[in-house]
Amino acid sequence: MSVVTEISPDGQKLTISIRGRFDFGRHQEFRESYERLNRTPESIVVDLKEATYLDSSALGMLLLLRDHAGGDNADVRVINSNSDVRKILAISNFDKLFDIS
């Protein structure tokens, strides 16, 4: 499985881990990882530690996640991104929309 989800015991935090390529082939799996929940958690973390590739469709998926979580009021963080991914996110100005570390 390329998209692994973990919800905290209190249901307040969702962690979505991406393994391998984060591209259009992960679209359905990624969307289901947060849409299948009964309610939106207070915070969402996208862990890219094991992501090897990220393309423009992945950026779109992150935007859809942000909108689903509440838009400007959402607490969505992108963590463990490698330097190449961090550069793509910065060039796309995603550092203004997400907390990236």
Side-chain angles (χ1 to χ4, degrees), residues 1 3 9 13 18 24 27-28 32 35 43 45 48 53 58-60 63 67-69 71 74 76 78 84 89 94-95:
M1 185 176 260
V3 178
K13 178 182 173 186
I18 309 296
F24 188 74
H27 176 74
Q28 186 68 30
E32 287 174 356
E35 285 185 345
S43 68
V45 174
L48 298 179
Y53 175 81
L59 298 176
L63 290 175
D67 288 345
H68 179 82
V76 180
V78 179
D84 291 337
L89 294 170
F94 273 51
D95 54 340

Side-chain angles (χ1 to χ4, degrees), residues 56-92:
S56 60
S57 62
L59 298 176
M61 288 185 264
L62 289 172
L63 290 175
L64 290 172
L65 169 63
R66 184 178 182 270
D67 288 345
H68 179 82
D72 289 340
N73 298 320
D75 178 11
V76 180
R77 290 175 281 147
V78 179
I79 65 168
N80 296 324
S81 51
N82 65 38
S83 61
D84 291 337
V85 169
R86 200 172 289 138
K87 185 176 180 180
I88 292 168
L89 294 170
I91 289 170
S92 305

Side-chain angles (χ1 to χ4, degrees), residues 1-4 16-22 26 46-54 79-82 85:
M1 185 176 260
S2 299
V3 178
V4 178
I16 304 171
S17 300
I18 309 296
R19 294 183 179 149
R21 295 175 62 88
F22 190 17
R26 301 281 74 80
V46 179
D47 188 344
L48 298 179
K49 181 167 76 173
E50 296 185 49
T52 58
Y53 175 81
L54 177 131
I79 65 168
N80 296 324
S81 51
N82 65 38
V85 169

